């Protein structure tokens, strides 16, 4: 995991060093982030064996006009699948469009897992389409993620998601309540490690930001029982605490 974070840091430094020269001709922004979570839950299922995880990433975005942004980034997290896999690295990119209060996002994510016990079958790609609308007092969003061959050769998979963010304008901490519900379908659930070909996950949490630091607490759960989750507790409900720092150049 240390090597992964080090490589990501080198990429970030390279992008930041190049930013002044590029920005002279085209609008370029570079955002970096780093943080820790008490449990890395991905679509309701723990990726860190119910233990804390260290995470970080870098993203570069070009804005050729006032409504379009072209972005690419890397994000990494420590993981624990009890098989020697110790890190997840996501390479992603796409297009974001803003039309008044409507936001659109079309892109892809390549999930890469590293470690002495992992295999290349764990790696997979997703394509996504998402939309949001800013009403001011509430920000609803929805998206769909499609993979032609999901984690561990588990076949075609589709994830449907819908969420809402509600800002609370009462303090300088910019508190926001966020809630989300999703449905994951998988052609070969046994390869994924569950017994059902679809499941529901949901979460609700409160987040506050100050000086670039965002602290949050979420309740996360799925409709999978321990038996349906391969006899593991990774699908159990949990309170997830997080602390993240983000900065944009």
């Amino acid at each position: 995991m240390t090597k992964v974070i080090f490589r990501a840091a080198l990429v970030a430094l390279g992008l930041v060093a190049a930013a002044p020269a590029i920005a002279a001709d085209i609008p370029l922004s570079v955002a970096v982030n780093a943080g820790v979570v008490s449990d890395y839950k991905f679509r309701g299922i723990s990726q860190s064996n119910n233990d804390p995880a260290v995470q970080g990433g870098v993203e570069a975005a070009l804005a050729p006009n006032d409504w379009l942004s072209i972005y690419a980034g890397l994000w990494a997290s420590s993981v624990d699948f009890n098989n020697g896999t110790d890190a997840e690295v996501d390479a992603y990119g796409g297009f974001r469009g803003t039309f008044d209060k409507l936001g659109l996002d079309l892109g892809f994510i390549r999930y890469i897992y590293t470690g002495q016990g992992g295999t290349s079958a764990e790696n997979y790609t997703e394509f996504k389409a998402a939309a949001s609308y800013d009403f001011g007092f509430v920000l609803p969003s929805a998206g769909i993620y499609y993979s032609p061959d999901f984690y561990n050769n588990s076949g075609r998979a589709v994830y449907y998601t819908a969420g809402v963010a509600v800002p609370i304008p009462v303090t300088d901490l910019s508190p926001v309540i966020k809630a989300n519900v999703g449905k994951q379908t998988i052609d070969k659930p046994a390869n994924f490690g569950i017994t059902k070909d679809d499941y529901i996950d949901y979460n609700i949490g409160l987040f506050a930001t100050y000086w670039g630091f965002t602290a949050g607490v979420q309740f996360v759960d799925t409709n999978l029982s321990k038996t349906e989750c391969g006899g593991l507790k990774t699908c159990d409900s949990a309170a997830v605490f997080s602390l993240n720092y983000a900065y944009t150049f």
Side-chain angles (χ1 to χ4, degrees), residues 225-246:
S225 67
K226 182 177 179 180
T227 300
E228 293 168 336
C229 196
L232 303 176
K233 296 181 178 181
T234 51
C235 300
D236 288 358
S237 61
V240 177
F241 299 89
S242 61
L243 180 63
N244 184 77
Y245 179 77

Side-chain angles (χ1 to χ4, degrees), residues 132-158:
S132 62
Y133 194 88
D134 188 358
F135 288 97
F137 63 94
V138 63
L139 178 69
S141 60
I144 182 170
Y145 295 72
Y146 169 78
S147 176
D149 193 7
F150 203 45
Y151 175 83
N152 202 32
N153 294 329
S154 53
R156 189 176 68 90
V158 184

Side-chain angles (χ1 to χ4, degrees), residues 108-129:
F108 75 94
I109 309 168
R110 176 63 177 174
Y111 300 84
I112 303 168
Y113 297 91
T114 67
Q116 295 183 355
T119 68
S120 59
E122 292 181 325
N123 304 336
Y124 66 97
T125 301
E126 280 189 325
F127 302 93
K128 71 171 183 176

Side-chain angles (χ1 to χ4, degrees), residues 65-68 96-105 132-133:
N65 53 51
D66 58 2
W67 61 268
L68 177 64
R96 297 188 184 110
T98 303
F99 308 91
D100 193 14
K101 298 180 180 181
L102 174 66
L104 299 177
D105 188 345
S132 62
Y133 194 88

Side-chain angles (χ1 to χ4, degrees), residues 137-186:
F137 63 94
V138 63
L139 178 69
S141 60
I144 182 170
Y145 295 72
Y146 169 78
S147 176
D149 193 7
F150 203 45
Y151 175 83
N152 202 32
N153 294 329
S154 53
R156 189 176 68 90
V158 184
Y159 184 67
Y160 308 90
T161 179
V164 63
V166 182
I168 307 174
V170 292
T171 74
D172 294 333
L173 299 178
S174 304
V176 179
I177 296 174
K178 295 183 179 180
N180 192 85
V181 61
K183 179 179 181 179
Q184 180 74 66
T185 68
I186 307 171

Side-chain angles (χ1 to χ4, degrees), residues 4-22 28 30-33 57-60 74 247 249:
V4 172
I5 296 297
F6 179 71
R7 290 170 183 168
L10 289 179
V11 173
L13 290 174
L15 289 172
V16 172
I22 299 176
L28 169 70
V30 178
V32 295
N33 66 85
V58 57
E59 179 181 298
L74 291 172
Y247 186 81
F249 297 89

Side-chain angles (χ1 to χ4, degrees), residues 39-58:
D39 187 357
Y40 173 23
K41 290 278 195 178
F42 178 70
R43 298 176 186 171
I45 300 178
S46 178
Q47 309 294 289
S48 55
N49 200 25
N50 301 320
D51 289 328
V54 178
Q55 303 174 335
V58 57

